[in-house]
Amino acid sequence: METKDKHIVIGGEAGQGLVTIGQMLTKALARSGYEVLVAQHYMSRVRGGHNTYRIRTGNGEIVSPVDGIDILVALDQETVSRHKANMTESGIVILDETLDPEGLKAVRVPFKELAPRPIYQNIAGLAVVAELLGIGQEVLQKLIRNTFRRKGDEVVTQNLTVLDEACRWTEAHKSSCTPLPPAEGDSGRMVIHGNEAIALGALAAGVKCCFFYPMTPATSVAQNLITYAERMQLIVEQAEDEVAALNMGLGSVYAGAKTLVPTSGGGFALMTEAVSLAGVMESPIVIVLAQRPGPATGLPTRTEQADLNLALYAGHGEFPRAIYAPATVEDCFELTYRSFDVTERFQTPVFVLTDQYLADSYRAVHKFDLAALAPVAEPDTGNEGDRSYKRYAFTEDGVSPRKLPGFSEALVLADCHEHTEDGHITESMDVRVAMNDKRMRKEQGMRAETLAPRYFGDEGASRILVCWGSTEGPAREAAARMRRKGARVGVLSFTQVWPLAPESFMPLLENAEEVIGIEGNATAQFMKLIRQETGFKVHRTVLRYDGRPFTPRYILQNLGEEEG
C-alpha cells in the first residue's frame, strides 16, 4: 500500500468558510485524478469553536486519515497554535499576512489585496492551495462555474477574477511547496461522503419513505433523500420526535412502502420500543444508526463505535435482526441496498451501523453499477388471497407470506400483542411458544447469509488485527507499515457484526499467534461479542473513545510499534 500523498488541514472557526474551501478543493483534486479521503472535525456550535477539514490526497490507495500535516491552511491564529506540533518536516502553513506563523515555514497571503470582499477570500485561499499543489486552473474554473452559476454571471465572473489574481500571485511562491506528482487516477469519479452513499443505496433499492428527526451525524442521510424526493416520488418527513419517526415508518411499511429511518444514538434510544414493535409485527424496516460518543448528548459532532450493544439489544423481548457495519463509502451504498433486501425477505428490522467519521468522509468513487445489482425482494402485491390468509402462518423457515392490505380479499392484521397465525391477540401458552420459535427461526436463515469478514494481508499471518466498520482503513494501513518492517500481519474486517458465522473466521483467529482487537469504544464491545459467540478471547485490544477517528499512528503507538 504505497502512497505518495499529502495531508492538507484547513482550520478555523465555524462560519469562516473552511468547509467551502475544503469541499471545492476535494472536488478539484478528484477531478484532476487524485485519490481523496476527507475527515471532518467540527464542534457542536453554529459559529465559533475550532474546526478542521482534513484532506489526504495523492496517488495510490488511500484508506485512512493520518496525523502529520503537510499543508496547514490557517484561517485564524488558533489553528497555527493548535496544529504546529503536528507539522511534518517539510510542512508549510498558508495564512493571512496579518497572522503569525509562529516559526513555521509559511506562505503569507495578502487576502485583502487578492479578494475585494471577504466573501471571496475562500476562493483566494482555494486558488493558493491548488496552485501550490499543481492543480490545473481549468479544473478550478469549471468548478467555480458549476458551483456559482445559480447565483448569476456577475458572481461567477467575480470569483473567476479572484481565482486568476490569486493563482498569478501564487506563481511567485511555488517553490515553497513540492507539488503533487502527476495524477494517475480516473478524473470522472463521483465525490460523495458516507451518508450520501447510504441515501443512494436506499434509492437504488427503491426506498419510498424516510422518516426522521434531525440528529447529527445522521441527518444528512435524510437531507440527501430530500434532494431526490420529487424526482424519485419519495416521501421524506421530519417527524415531531424520534418516537414518532420510527412508528410512522412502521405504518408505511405495513402499507407496503420500503422505508428508511436514519438517526443517531440519543434518538435511537427513544426508538427502542418501536424497534420491539417492528419485531413482533415482523415489519421489514431499515434503520441507519450513525454513531457518536455518548452517554446522552456526549460529543454530538464527534465519532465513536459505542452503539453496537445498543443496536444489538434494542427492544424488549427476543426477535432476530441483522446489523451491517460499512467500512467504506462503497460499503455504505452496497450494504444499505442489501439491507432492504434482507429486511424484506426475513421481515425483521435491519440496521446500518455507521459513525460520524464515515458519515462525513468524502471519497472519490466510481459510479455504482446499478445493472449489476441483484433485484431487491418485494412484498406480495398480487390480488390472490382470501379470508383464510394468515399473516403470521407457521412456516419451516419462520418467514410468513407478507401480503399488503388492499390488494386482495386477504385480511392483513398487525398487532403489538402476541398473536395467532391470523393476527388476533392470544395468551395461549402453546401459541406463544410456537410464534416466538417461528420468529427466531428466521435468524438461522439470516445467519446462513452472513457476510464473511474481509481479510487483508499475509496468509498464515502470526498477528491479526480484528476490526469492524470504519476502523478497517486505519487498521489496514497500520498493518501495512508493520509488514514493511518484516512482520507477518493480517487484518480481519467485519462489515456484518450480527448475526455472526464463526466458521468463516475462527480458523484464522485460532491459527494466529496474537489477535488484537481494534475498536472505537472503551469496553471492546465487538471483541466481547466474538467471545460470547465463540469462546475465543482476543489477546489484547487497542481502543479509542476520545471522539476522534483512528489513525495508523494511534494504532502503532498503542501497540508499542515504531510508526514506520
Side-chain angles (χ1 to χ4, degrees):
M1 193 188 305
E2 294 291 339
T3 59
K4 298 176 180 177
D5 56 79
K6 287 186 181 293
H7 184 209
I8 305 156
V9 174
I10 305 165
E13 290 185 3
Q16 283 192 294
L18 62 96
V19 173
T20 302
I21 300 175
Q23 288 179 343
M24 293 186 73
L25 181 59
T26 302
K27 290 178 181 177
L29 288 162
R31 291 176 186 180
S32 298
Y34 293 105
E35 299 299 324
V36 291
L37 185 148
V38 170
Q40 297 190 59
H41 297 195
Y42 50 95
M43 302 186 78
S44 178
R45 58 183 76 172
V46 176
R47 290 190 66 86
H50 180 68
N51 296 350
T52 58
Y53 188 102
R54 299 161 179 255
I55 309 168
R56 191 179 178 196
T57 185
N59 291 314
E61 191 176 22
I62 297 177
V63 297
S64 169
V66 290
D67 295 290
I69 302 170
D70 299 298
I71 299 177
L72 178 64
V73 182
L75 302 184
D76 61 4
Q77 193 63 51
E78 184 181 359
T79 298
V80 181
S81 303
R82 274 181 178 257
H83 299 287
K84 62 183 180 183
N86 284 324
M87 299 298 291
T88 60
E89 194 172 329
S90 59
I92 63 166
V93 57
I94 297 170
L95 73 176
D96 187 86
E97 60 184 356
T98 61
L99 299 178
D100 179 4
E102 300 185 18
L104 297 175
K105 182 182 176 184
V107 176
R108 304 184 71 176
V109 183
F111 280 111
K112 286 185 179 177
E113 180 183 321
L114 296 174
R117 294 167 55 194
I119 60 170
Y120 296 119
Q121 289 183 7
N122 291 338
I123 294 300
L126 170 69
V128 172
V129 181
E131 188 71 18
L132 290 174
L133 290 172
I135 304 298
Q137 204 176 133
E138 287 184 8
V139 174
L140 300 174
Q141 290 169 343
K142 188 174 181 180
L143 191 60
I144 286 173
R145 290 192 182 96
N146 289 341
T147 303
F148 297 109
R149 62 186 173 190
R150 291 184 179 176
K151 296 188 176 182
D153 292 341
E154 186 178 348
V155 173
V156 171
T157 301
Q158 189 61 66
N159 277 288
L160 289 173
T161 301
V162 172
L163 173 73
D164 184 58
E165 287 288 327
C167 286
R168 282 197 284 117
W169 180 89
T170 312
E171 276 284 335
H173 300 81
K174 272 191 169 180
S175 59
S176 305
C177 177
T178 305
L180 288 166
E184 299 173 357
D186 181 359
S187 60
R189 295 165 297 170
M190 303 186 295
V191 178
I192 60 174
H193 57 54
N195 276 0
E196 288 178 281
I198 286 173
L200 292 176
L203 289 168
V207 66
K208 287 299 175 190
C209 289
C210 171
F211 302 101
F212 75 108
Y213 187 77
M215 193 167 191
T216 304
T219 305
S220 60
V221 173
Q223 289 172 329
N224 275 282
L225 287 174
I226 288 171
T227 63
Y228 298 101
E230 185 173 350
R231 198 185 333 165
M232 302 296 289
Q233 297 184 319
L234 165 69
I235 294 172
V236 183
E237 177 77 15
Q238 179 180 326
E240 63 266 36
D241 56 36
E242 288 89 348
V243 177
L246 189 49
N247 281 301
M248 290 170 76
L250 296 181
S252 66
V253 164
Y254 174 71
K258 291 189 177 76
T259 301
L260 175 75
V261 177
T263 188
S264 298
F268 182 69
L270 297 171
M271 294 179 179
T272 53
E273 186 177 18
V275 173
S276 192
L277 180 59
V280 77
M281 289 173 59
E282 303 188 40
S283 296
I285 192 163
V286 176
I287 301 166
V288 175
L289 174 49
Q291 300 169 96
R292 67 190 208 185
T297 308
L299 300 174
T301 58
R302 304 292 182 177
T303 198
E304 202 161 86
Q305 290 183 304
D307 290 343
L308 171 59
N309 285 341
L310 180 64
L312 187 60
Y313 301 114
H316 47 289
E318 298 170 304
F319 53 94
R321 69 195 71 195
I323 306 175
Y324 295 103
T328 65
V329 166
E330 290 90 341
D331 285 345
C332 288
F333 175 85
E334 292 165 7
L335 294 177
T336 303
Y337 184 88
R338 182 185 180 88
S339 295
F340 277 93
D341 182 57
V342 170
T343 194
E344 182 61 47
R345 285 195 291 119
F346 293 98
Q347 298 173 26
T348 200
V350 172
F351 298 87
V352 178
L353 192 58
T354 180
D355 55 52
Q356 180 271 327
Y357 158 62
L358 184 57
D360 292 329
S361 182
Y362 285 93
R363 320 278 173 96
V365 299
H366 292 285
K367 291 180 180 176
F368 302 120
D369 186 358
L370 302 183
L373 296 172
V376 172
E378 302 287 343
D380 183 358
T381 56
N383 57 11
E384 302 83 12
D386 54 32
R387 294 288 177 146
S388 65
Y389 168 73
K390 295 179 179 179
R391 168 66 186 94
Y392 300 109
F394 296 131
T395 60
E396 187 174 344
D397 61 4
V399 180
S400 306
R402 187 169 94 92
K403 299 193 75 67
L404 299 183
F407 283 81
S408 70
E409 294 295 318
L411 181 61
V412 183
L413 296 181
D415 199 298
C416 64
H417 296 80
E418 191 55 273
H419 41 246
T420 59
E421 288 182 273
D422 57 10
H424 287 96
I425 184 173
T426 182
E427 294 197 14
S428 162
M429 292 188 294
D430 292 340
V431 174
R432 156 65 186 177
V433 172
M435 192 59 70
N436 209 53
D437 289 347
K438 182 196 90 74
R439 288 191 291 265
M440 293 306 296
R441 278 200 296 276
K442 291 190 280 188
E443 188 170 292
Q444 298 171 20
M446 298 169 76
R447 195 180 296 273
E449 297 186 14
T450 295
L451 295 174
R454 296 193 285 238
Y455 182 73
F456 305 90
D458 301 315
E459 271 191 43
S462 57
R463 181 186 277 186
I464 292 180
L465 309 182
V466 179
C467 59
W468 61 279
S470 68
T471 308
E472 176 189 288
R476 285 181 60 196
E477 187 159 337
R481 294 185 189 187
M482 286 191 276
R483 282 196 294 273
R484 284 203 290 268
K485 293 181 175 296
R488 293 181 61 77
V489 185
V491 173
L492 192 64
S493 171
F494 288 76
T495 56
Q496 181 167 1
V497 290
W498 188 259
L500 296 177
E503 65 277 9
S504 69
F505 59 87
M506 280 309 296
L508 272 171
L509 300 186
E510 290 172 336
N511 291 328
E513 293 176 12
E514 184 178 41
V515 177
I516 303 163
I518 312 291
E519 198 169 346
N521 58 61
T523 56
Q525 294 179 18
F526 185 61
M527 303 310 141
K528 289 180 178 176
L529 182 61
I530 289 178
R531 187 177 187 186
Q532 172 187 305
E533 291 298 299
T534 67
F536 183 87
K537 183 181 180 183
V538 300
H539 301 107
R540 56 174 166 156
T541 55
V542 176
L543 308 175
R544 185 163 201 176
Y545 43 96
D546 57 6
R548 275 62 175 176
F550 274 99
T551 61
R553 177 191 290 179
Y554 184 93
I555 294 172
L556 293 170
Q557 286 180 341
N558 281 272
L559 289 175
E561 299 282 339
E562 292 182 17
E563 190 176 347

